[in-house]
Structures are given as C-alpha cells and as structure tokens.
Amino acid sequence: MSVLKKIIIFIILALLIITSLDTSTKNVYAIPNLSKNTPVKIAVFFDNSSAMYISLLKQNLERIEKENEGKVKFTFFDANDNQSKQNESIEKALSQDFNLFIISIISSNLNDVESTLRKVMEKNIPIILNPDPVQDIINFVRPYKRFVVVGADFEQSGTMEGNILVNEWKSNKIAIDKNHDDVLQYIMLKGRIGSPLTSLRTKYSILAINDAGIKTEELASPSCEWVEDCARGAVESLFLKYGDKIEAIVSTNDAMAIGAVEALQKYGYNKGGKSKTIPVVGIDGMPAAKDFIKKGFMSGTVVVEPSDLAEALYSIGMNLAYGRQPLENTKYKFEENGPIVHLKYKEFVE
C-alpha cells in the first residue's frame, strides 16, 4: 500500500471518529458548571402569583429552600397574566446565571413564546414547564434534551369533578332537580380562555355526568380567569337571571368555586342545609374550599396538593440542573407521549 493511500485512510478514520464523538455529545445532557458549595439557582416564572394555588405553591417552594439550606435558591417572577411581561422577565434572567427555569406559560399561542423559549434553549438552560402548555408549545420544545413538563392529568380532574356531581344527583336528586325534568341545569365557571386546563376540565366534567346517564343543560359559562372575585360577581348576576333554575355549579378551579358559594350565600343558599343548597364543585383542594366542604357549603373538590407539586418540581429540577436523568432517584414516571410527568388527583368530599 502506498504512503499516500495510508495517509488518506488515516484521515478518513480520524474524521469518522470525530463525527461519532460529536454526535454522541449531542445526545446526552451537558454537564453544568455547578459546585457543591454553591446552591442551584432556580428561576420560577409564575403566570400569576396572587392566584390561590400559585401562592401556596410558592410557599411550599420557599419551605423546600429553607429545608435544603445551601442547596437551592429560588427566585420568583410574577407575570400578572401578561405573556409579554413574562417574556421580558425570562430574557432578562438569561444573563443572571440561573441553572434552571420553571415556567408557567400564559399564552396558548406558540408565536407569543417561540422566540423567548428558543433563547433559553440556545443558552442550554434546563426547562420545566408547569402546568402543561398547549400541544404546539410542547412539540416545539420537545427536541430539546433538557426539558420536562411537570403537571397533572386535566382529563382525570374533570372526570373526578363530574363524578362528585353524579353521586350528589343519585343521593339527593329530589332536592337538586328543582323542576323535576330529569335534566341537570348547570353553570360552568371557566378559567383562562385557550388554556388546556379550562378546555379539558370543562369537557370531561360534563362528559362524566352524561356517561352516568344524566342529561345536562348549560345555562351559562362565564370565563373568569381562575379569579374568585370574578366568579362571585358572575354568579350573583346569573342568580338574578336564573334563580332556582340553577341546579349545580361546575368550576374549573377552587378559587372560582369559593366565589360562587359566597355569591349563593348572599341569596340565602349554601349555608349548610341540604334543602337550600346548590351543589358546587371545584378543583385544586384549596384550604378554603376544604373548609367549605366540611361545613356543607360546597359539594367537593379534587386535589393535587401544592406541597406534592413543589416536591416534584424540586426533585426533577435538581436532576436537570446537575445534568442527571430527570427522574433519577425519584418516584415519578414519564407519560407515554414524552418527557411529561403527571401527578394524580384525589377526591375530597364531605
């Protein structure tokens, strides 16, 4: 073999080895520049930290930080339900040496967040999205290796909420079906327009009722953006319009359910007596909702405890920040459709 041929073969083999190494590097998590002597810096971008559930989640993350002094440092950003404000906060945070971003995306439109998310990925910062954003956003981030969705099964929450009303109907139909037409007339309190939480909880709560053989009629479905005051005002107005025609109120979160109960109490309903109660169901398991349920003011809720969600965000987030497999040494499992962890709901009734 000539010297020239040997040189050519050597060059080809060298190029193949370099290409192989480059490809393999792209398929593993990068090892971050972290010291055991410094805390992991986690930026948490809330959609609205004044919301009931989010405020409790924040408190639990702060508790985790205190319990793990020197290991983790959370910094919180509040968008006040404004996607542009959140994008601005995220882009400013890119220069602040954070090791992980936890983001509660507000918009249901990929165009509103695509540029910002791309900048985070280009900086190789791990991302947790909570709760589940719309599928378009998940699909956009999915190829990024340092990415996990941590949320809950919205379909399950709606189904369980509907089943609470099914049980109420079966056990107390005479009092609930005020016009004796074998149809459940209800008000649906919707959350943020375009949010998967809103659409799935709305759909599956009523589907569960219908699947149980109960006919339903929607009287109204105001969108109250998860806010208690909005729901209180909406139900006060709707009661003046429909009065005794309202046989149930289905709320896509507890804050709005609490507002609905307070509105009904203004008219003498839902003060603990079965004969003058309109069933109200919610989702989240907020302490105020649980208190209402214990007192007989509210029929039930379904719960993913903020403390459980905080623990999931912390344990999965620390793995991502240190370049480990996201679920290493945790109790969580990915869903079949990708790097998605869904916590399970529990029913809370009287």
Side-chain angles (χ1 to χ4, degrees):
M1 185 182 293
S2 69
V3 175
L4 180 59
K5 285 184 178 180
K6 288 180 180 179
I7 293 171
I8 292 171
I9 290 171
F10 176 81
I11 293 171
I12 291 171
L13 288 172
L15 288 172
L16 287 171
I17 291 169
I18 291 167
T19 303
S20 175
L21 288 171
D22 182 61
T23 302
S24 64
T25 301
K26 290 178 180 177
N27 289 329
V28 298
Y29 295 106
I31 298 173
N33 184 23
L34 281 174
S35 166
K36 290 183 179 179
N37 298 321
T38 58
V40 173
K41 295 174 61 179
I42 301 178
V44 185
F45 300 93
F46 288 132
D47 51 2
N48 188 340
S49 61
S50 63
M52 253 184 222
Y53 192 90
I54 301 302
S55 65
L56 289 173
L57 176 60
K58 181 174 181 286
Q59 289 173 28
N60 277 279
L61 290 172
E62 290 170 335
R63 170 186 57 79
I64 288 171
E65 181 179 317
K66 288 179 182 178
E67 293 172 353
N68 295 274
E69 188 175 355
K71 292 182 180 179
V72 64
K73 173 63 180 174
F74 292 104
T75 302
F76 302 100
F77 301 84
D78 186 6
N80 291 311
D81 288 325
N82 184 318
Q83 187 61 62
S84 295
K85 182 177 180 181
Q86 185 178 81
N87 290 348
E88 183 179 335
S89 296
I90 292 170
E91 292 180 23
K92 284 183 179 178
L94 287 172
S95 62
Q96 297 177 37
D97 297 323
F98 285 107
N99 307 116
L100 172 73
F101 283 0
I102 298 174
I103 308 173
S104 299
I105 291 176
I106 299 157
S107 178
S108 58
N109 188 338
L110 174 59
N111 292 334
D112 293 338
V113 296
E114 181 176 352
S115 175
T116 298
L117 289 174
R118 182 176 283 111
K119 290 174 185 176
V120 178
M121 292 186 283
E122 287 172 352
K123 290 276 286 187
N124 201 31
I125 297 172
I127 300 170
I128 292 179
L129 299 182
N130 166 261
D132 301 41
V134 295
Q135 195 61 47
D136 281 352
I137 293 174
I138 293 176
N139 290 342
F140 172 72
V141 187
R142 190 186 297 273
Y144 185 50
K145 298 300 182 184
R146 308 186 74 191
F147 152 70
V148 175
V149 172
V150 178
D153 188 336
F154 307 145
E155 177 180 333
Q156 181 198 34
S157 66
T159 299
M160 292 178 71
E161 183 181 40
N163 285 333
I164 293 172
L165 277 180
V166 169
N167 294 332
E168 279 278 301
W169 179 269
K170 289 179 177 178
S171 63
N172 202 25
K173 180 181 174 183
I174 293 174
I176 296 172
D177 189 19
K178 297 180 178 64
N179 58 2
H180 309 295
D181 65 348
D182 281 331
V183 178
L184 180 67
Q185 277 84 22
Y186 68 92
I187 290 170
M188 175 65 70
L189 294 174
K190 293 183 176 180
R192 183 177 297 127
I193 296 170
S195 166
L197 280 79
T198 297
S199 57
L200 291 173
R201 289 173 175 179
T202 299
K203 175 182 176 180
Y204 284 96
S205 58
I206 302 307
L207 186 61
I209 298 169
N210 296 150
D211 284 348
I214 302 169
K215 296 178 182 177
T216 55
E217 178 188 354
E218 184 177 275
L219 299 176
S221 57
S223 295
C224 273
E225 295 289 319
W226 316 119
V227 178
E228 178 181 343
D229 289 345
C230 172
R232 185 187 301 110
V235 172
E236 284 180 6
S237 297
L238 290 168
F239 191 89
L240 292 174
K241 181 176 181 179
Y242 293 107
D244 277 351
K245 291 181 180 179
I246 303 169
E247 296 176 343
I249 296 178
V250 184
S251 174
T252 51
N253 82 337
D254 274 347
M256 295 186 297
I258 290 164
V261 170
E262 291 169 346
L264 294 175
Q265 289 177 334
K266 179 179 177 179
Y267 299 109
Y269 283 77
N270 291 53
K271 294 188 173 183
K274 287 284 185 185
S275 61
K276 206 172 182 184
T277 292
I278 294 172
V280 178
V281 289
I283 296 173
D284 282 340
M286 294 294 89
K290 290 179 178 179
D291 183 56
F292 274 14
I293 293 163
K294 291 173 183 176
K295 291 176 178 176
F297 302 164
M298 186 171 153
S299 296
T301 184
V302 294
V303 188
V304 166
E305 298 290 356
S307 57
D308 292 339
L309 176 56
E311 292 291 344
L313 293 172
Y314 171 67
S315 56
I316 295 171
M318 293 295 277
N319 278 339
L320 284 170
Y322 276 110
R324 299 188 289 255
Q325 292 297 320
L327 305 189
E328 183 176 319
N329 295 322
T330 73
K331 61 184 177 181
Y332 309 108
K333 294 182 179 179
F334 281 140
E335 299 289 302
E336 292 180 358
N337 58 338
I340 298 170
V341 172
H342 278 163
L343 306 185
K344 302 301 180 186
Y345 285 91
K346 304 173 198 173
E347 184 182 276
F348 187 95
V349 295
E350 186 180 1

